[in-house]
Amino acid sequence: EPEVTQTPSHQVTQMGQEVILRCVPISNHLYFYWYRQILGQKVEFLVSFYNNEISEKSEIFDDQFSVERPDGSNFTLKIRSTKLEDSAMYFCASDPGTANEKLFFGSGTQLSVL
Amino acid sequence: LAKTTQPISMDSYEGQEVNITCSHNNIATNDYITWYQQFPSQGPRFIIQGYKTKVTNEVASLFIPADRKSSTLSLPRVSLSDTAVYYCLVGPSGNNNAGNMLTFGGGTRLMVKP
């Protein structure tokens, strides 16, 4: 069964550093998402991406965040200057674009900002 | 977006049927109801989706009454491996709503005991 792949599985960084989280969505899927989950809390929407542009973004997704689909397979989330509160599990998801939304999630990247 | 309300937690025993009910009083006409399962340190996984009446797949059944203001996820004969958090999401369908901000609530933490 095809799956969404995320790398790295764990990322440790110093406060103020830039990080790039990488995702390979399922081939032929059309919609892409980033969510995050702080330990013990609920899954929070960050951003959705379609047709090479952002479709929707939440209040969390401020100017320090950006997303990119540099080629036909990768989907990246960049955090420009990490803060302690950015520590969370970041999930990428993709959607085939059929009539009803059905998200396929990756296994996540655990980001720890020290 | 329709807000959902679920019990925070439920306990069950192996072999029992578990029913988790979700309230979504302000569901819109074009909204679908989708349930996801999440194990610790993993991304949510799609379980089942429906619009009205009853939907059944190899994993679960979804019961939706005529007014669609609630839905019930039914897990037949649960096992220890069904211990997870279950999320009910409500959101619009259709490709003209590309990249919808699907919002996860707190979910229901199901604990299956031996």
Side-chain angles (χ1 to χ4, degrees):
Chain A
E1 184 177 314
E3 58 181 25
V4 174
T5 306
Q6 290 187 244
T7 54
S9 56
H10 294 84
Q11 175 88 51
V12 181
T13 189
Q14 295 291 324
M15 189 171 58
Q17 294 295 305
E18 175 183 285
V19 294
I20 297 176
L21 309 184
R22 303 181 190 279
C23 170
V24 179
I26 295 173
S27 178
N28 296 325
H29 278 199
L30 300 179
Y31 307 119
F32 313 108
Y33 306 80
W34 283 100
Y35 284 80
R36 80 172 186 189
Q37 187 173 32
I38 296 171
L39 184 64
Q41 298 186 23
K42 61 184 182 182
V43 179
E44 299 176 292
F45 172 85
L46 292 179
V47 66
S48 59
F49 193 86
Y50 170 71
N51 202 24
N52 288 321
E53 60 183 24
I54 291 174
S55 303
E56 287 198 58
K57 58 183 181 179
S58 71
E59 291 179 352
I60 302 169
F61 194 88
D62 60 22
D63 290 343
Q64 71 161 343
F65 290 91
S66 63
V67 289
E68 195 177 34
R69 189 157 161 81
D71 52 41
S73 61
N74 292 286
F75 181 50
T76 61
L77 174 69
K78 182 192 290 186
I79 309 176
R80 266 180 266 284
S81 178
T82 51
K83 299 179 282 196
L84 296 177
E85 54 265 38
D86 293 328
S87 295
M89 180 75 92
Y90 287 80
F91 294 110
C92 172
S94 68
D95 179 333
T98 51
N100 311 317
E101 286 186 321
K102 178 178 173 180
L103 302 185
F104 292 79
F105 284 81
S107 54
T109 293
Q110 179 64 56
L111 176 65
S112 298
V113 182
L114 306 179
Chain B
L1 295 169
K3 185 181 176 201
T4 60
T5 304
Q6 304 174 231
I8 294 173
S9 63
M10 294 181 69
D11 288 344
S12 182
Y13 291 92
E14 282 191 291
Q16 289 188 332
E17 177 184 81
V18 171
N19 296 307
I20 305 174
T21 296
C22 177
S23 297
H24 27 81
N25 290 317
N26 59 340
I27 188 169
T29 303
N30 62 341
D31 282 345
Y32 271 73
I33 301 154
T34 311
W35 285 79
Y36 289 83
Q37 174 192 55
Q38 186 182 28
F39 298 114
S41 299
Q42 293 187 28
R45 185 177 74 101
F46 172 91
I47 302 176
I48 197 166
Q49 184 181 73
Y51 183 80
K52 61 180 180 180
T53 62
K54 177 184 174 183
V55 179
T56 297
N57 61 22
E58 65 278 5
V59 176
S61 293
L62 179 59
F63 298 92
I64 305 169
D67 66 5
R68 303 199 329 119
K69 293 184 184 300
S70 67
S71 58
T72 299
L73 174 72
S74 181
L75 305 172
R77 299 182 59 79
V78 293
S79 63
L80 296 178
S81 61
D82 291 317
T83 293
V85 179
Y86 292 82
Y87 298 96
C88 161
L89 276 72
V90 174
S93 67
N95 292 338
N96 57 334
N97 289 316
N100 288 301
M101 189 171 75
L102 276 183
T103 303
F104 284 77
T108 297
R109 191 172 298 274
L110 173 66
M111 173 69 73
V112 180
K113 302 174 183 176

